[in-house]
Amino acid sequence: MIWESLGSVVLGLALSWAALRSLSGRLPSRRTVFATGTLGALFGAYLTHSVLGPGHVLATLIGAVLIGAVTLSLLLRPGSRRLSRSAAA
């Protein structure tokens, strides 16, 4: 379980870094993004490990990445939209 936890923390940090690199204008502060990604991945690893049991390291890490991505997506702010003249009329 310790390797799953450490792996999920590393994957959560990598996921947060990738989100900040590609969506920096739509996310809150870096500290919030890194904390959310890490804690989301840890929770995902815990949840997946609880459901599958021990011995499924790869599946646990995949679950950690998926739930970490979902928690990071909750931080996204809507992008700026420009209304065209036909839509505004």
Side-chain angles (χ1 to χ4, degrees):
M1 180 70 186
I2 190 76
W3 292 111
E4 292 171 352
S5 300
L6 290 175
S8 67
V9 166
V10 170
L11 289 172
L13 288 172
L15 193 62
S16 300
W17 177 78
L20 281 170
R21 295 269 303 171
S22 61
L23 301 166
S24 63
R26 296 180 55 196
L27 289 168
S29 70
R30 295 175 59 90
R31 180 183 291 173
T32 304
V33 172
F34 280 118
T36 302
T38 304
L39 291 175
L42 270 174
F43 177 70
Y46 171 73
L47 185 67
T48 309
H49 182 81
S50 297
V51 169
L52 296 177
H56 298 93
V57 177
L58 184 61
T60 302
L61 293 177
I62 290 172
V65 168
L66 291 175
I67 295 188
V70 168
T71 56
L72 282 173
S73 73
L74 295 174
L75 294 177
L76 284 174
R77 289 179 262 172
S80 61
R81 292 187 199 174
R82 294 176 57 123
L83 293 176
S84 63
R85 289 188 167 240
S86 62

